[in-house]
Amino acid sequence: MDFWWILYIIDGLLFALVALTVGYVVFYSVTSLFSRTQEVPKAKRQNRFIILIPAYKSDKTIVQTVASILSQDYPQRMFDVVVISDHQKEMTNMRLAQYTITLLTPNFEKSSKTKSLQYAVLNLPAFKIYDVAVVLNSSSIVEPEFLDKLNNAYETAGTKAIVTHLMPRNRDTSSARLSTVFEEINNSLFRRGHIALGLSAALTSTGVAYDFEWFKNNLMKVRTSTEDKELEAMLIHQQIYVDYFDDIHVYTERKREVADFNKQRRSWVLEQWYSALKNIRFLPAAIFNQQYDWVDKILQWMLLPRTILFPVLVLMSIILPFIYFTLAVKWWIISVIWGFSLALATPNELVDKNWDKDFISLPLATLKNLIKKIHSKTIKK
């Protein structure tokens, strides 16, 4: 097999995978435009909430998070807060102990969010009865009306899981601003775009409310550190619809440094591909049984992440013209389509004077960081 045949095969396979990803993004970018804000009436009953906050080395943010959830307009007798303080400073635990919360202090040899949540559920008093479990990250801040809105939404949705709208707490660096843009694109594609078609919204790592009994029973079946992906798969397997409410906000801390931003993205990529490999065997049966939520979710996990798709599009668009000009044309076209679909999925208020600079500076900073790491490893050798 000569060079040209190898080039055609690589080009064709890579383009097919990119085209699937871009097609998926374009489709849900368009459907997200037809999503409408739901009318949420006042609930006739007040549910009893348990708010679970896993905190691993979160000394800088956890106290503020606890203060925000305790400052609710919702009756205090109707919710309890449990903080799972893992590997945090003694001074932080002393400050947390002053609040009306349940403070758990496990000391896992190998920590994970899954272990913390399971530990909390196992240590809840048997006489306590809850209707809804809410999972928050240790850097999440909520508004005073958060639980009241969540209660109304939960009653309106009539399902066992609802997702809230993640908002940025900070946009002071290129990494933080770009992370905010990516999160809003995710909201458009995987939440607004999906519920507009009657499909389940994707879970987030924070600000998700579950039926307590369902959560308690299914959380113990989770075997990996990616509890949101496993719980999402369980919900879809059990044909439980996941609703999304755009006007219930949870404010989260965005990664300020390029290295932290890249580390977080690498972790998400690995989690996504692990979920795809684990569940792809269910795809034929899901198609045959017309389980559209399950088909969509498996396809979603199989897509190329943006952190990989962007470099592939740039490299193929730049390199191919010097090898075989005709092959490059389709890459130019699909790059324009992909860029247009992302712009369509991005809220107007996020397109500011920093937009172009952030999209250029972050990849350059990432490349610089990578070269520095390779150079340091070379010197050590």
Side-chain angles (χ1 to χ4, degrees):
M1 186 178 292
D2 62 17
F3 168 79
W4 295 109
W5 275 109
I6 294 172
L7 177 65
Y8 294 148
I9 292 171
I10 293 174
D11 175 74
L13 291 174
L14 197 55
F15 186 80
L17 187 55
V18 168
L20 173 65
T21 302
V22 173
Y24 187 97
V25 171
V26 170
F27 180 75
Y28 283 110
S29 294
V30 173
T31 60
S32 69
L33 301 177
F34 298 95
S35 178
R36 295 288 181 266
T37 302
Q38 299 184 46
E39 291 294 330
V40 182
K42 186 71 177 177
K44 294 181 180 179
R45 70 182 293 257
Q46 290 180 324
N47 288 288
R48 184 163 175 77
F49 289 86
I50 176 73
I51 295 93
L52 303 170
I53 311 176
Y56 174 74
K57 294 184 178 180
S58 306
D59 304 273
K60 293 181 180 180
T61 59
I62 183 59
V63 175
Q64 191 178 1
T65 297
V66 170
S68 77
I69 196 65
L70 289 176
S71 303
Q72 293 295 299
D73 296 336
Y74 204 69
Q76 289 198 356
R77 69 181 188 281
M78 298 302 293
F79 71 93
D80 290 331
V81 179
V82 178
V83 175
I84 309 95
S85 180
D86 181 20
H87 286 84
Q88 298 203 124
K89 296 176 182 177
E90 191 62 34
M91 183 59 69
T92 302
N93 289 335
M94 288 174 64
R95 292 179 65 187
L96 290 172
Q98 296 175 11
Y99 290 94
T100 54
I101 64 172
T102 299
L103 179 62
L104 302 175
T105 56
N107 191 24
F108 300 118
E109 185 177 342
K110 189 174 181 181
S111 301
S112 73
K113 187 178 176 182
T114 299
K115 286 182 179 180
S116 291
L117 289 172
Q118 290 174 338
Y119 184 88
V121 169
L122 289 173
N123 284 277
L124 289 177
F127 63 89
K128 290 278 189 177
I129 298 175
Y130 299 105
D131 302 301
V132 184
V134 181
V135 178
L136 290 178
N137 283 350
S138 56
S139 63
S140 298
I141 299 293
V142 295
E143 297 167 332
E145 60 273 18
F146 172 71
L147 284 182
D148 189 52
K149 283 186 174 182
L150 201 57
N151 184 67
N152 296 337
Y154 187 79
E155 289 297 299
T156 299
T159 187
K160 294 183 184 296
I162 63 175
V163 181
T164 59
H165 185 171
L166 302 190
M167 302 283 285
R169 283 180 60 183
N170 60 299
R171 293 185 62 209
D172 49 353
T173 66
S174 293
S175 298
R177 287 190 294 269
L178 204 55
S179 180
T180 299
V181 171
F182 284 172
E183 188 59 54
E184 283 298 345
I185 289 173
N186 288 342
N187 283 330
S188 294
L189 300 180
F190 307 131
R191 295 175 191 104
R192 295 188 199 97
H194 277 64
I195 64 171
L197 296 178
L199 296 172
S200 285
L203 294 187
T204 56
S205 60
T206 182
V208 182
Y210 304 91
D211 174 85
F212 177 73
E213 288 300 321
W214 184 92
F215 179 77
K216 183 177 70 173
N217 294 331
N218 287 274
L219 179 67
M220 295 306 161
K221 301 174 186 176
V222 176
R223 294 292 177 265
T224 69
S225 59
T226 58
E227 97 294 336
D228 53 335
K229 292 287 190 297
E230 287 205 51
L231 290 175
E232 192 169 36
M234 292 176 194
L235 286 164
I236 296 173
H237 262 308
Q238 298 171 34
Q239 298 184 23
I240 297 172
Y241 180 69
V242 180
D243 211 342
Y244 170 69
F245 289 83
D246 207 40
D247 62 340
I248 305 177
H249 298 157
V250 173
Y251 298 88
T252 61
E253 186 84 13
R254 301 300 179 187
K255 300 297 183 183
R256 287 181 166 86
E257 302 299 327
V258 174
D260 294 333
F261 177 88
N262 290 332
K263 183 179 178 181
Q264 184 185 60
R265 296 287 150 177
R266 283 195 300 271
S267 175
W268 289 350
V269 168
L270 292 174
E271 290 173 10
Q272 176 184 323
W273 283 350
Y274 174 79
S275 299
L277 291 172
K278 183 179 178 181
N279 294 289
I280 194 171
R281 67 184 189 276
F282 300 117
L283 184 59
I287 296 172
F288 181 78
N289 295 318
Q290 299 181 353
Q291 295 176 310
Y292 301 119
D293 256 337
W294 198 211
V295 172
D296 174 83
K297 184 56 60 179
I298 296 172
L299 288 176
Q300 187 184 118
W301 287 334
M302 291 170 61
L303 301 178
L304 278 177
R306 282 187 291 270
T307 49
I308 295 175
L309 180 62
F310 182 65
V312 168
L313 287 173
V314 171
L315 287 173
M316 297 302 284
S317 298
I318 293 174
I319 293 173
L320 272 182
F322 297 99
I323 301 175
Y324 199 126
F325 185 85
T326 308
L327 291 179
V329 175
K330 65 180 180 296
W331 288 99
W332 295 342
I333 294 172
I334 204 166
S335 295
V336 172
I337 294 172
W338 182 68
F340 175 76
S341 64
L342 291 188
L344 203 62
T346 304
N348 293 334
E349 62 269 18
L350 294 182
V351 183
D352 54 21
K353 62 182 180 180
N354 296 308
W355 170 269
D356 295 334
K357 183 178 72 174
D358 292 339
F359 267 90
I360 295 172
S361 64
L362 189 65
L364 290 177
T366 301
L367 181 61
K368 182 179 178 182
N369 191 44
L370 180 62
I371 292 172
K372 188 185 293 185
K373 283 185 177 180
I374 294 172
H375 181 64
S376 63
K377 286 182 180 179
T378 305
I379 292 174
K380 287 179 181 179
K381 287 181 180 179

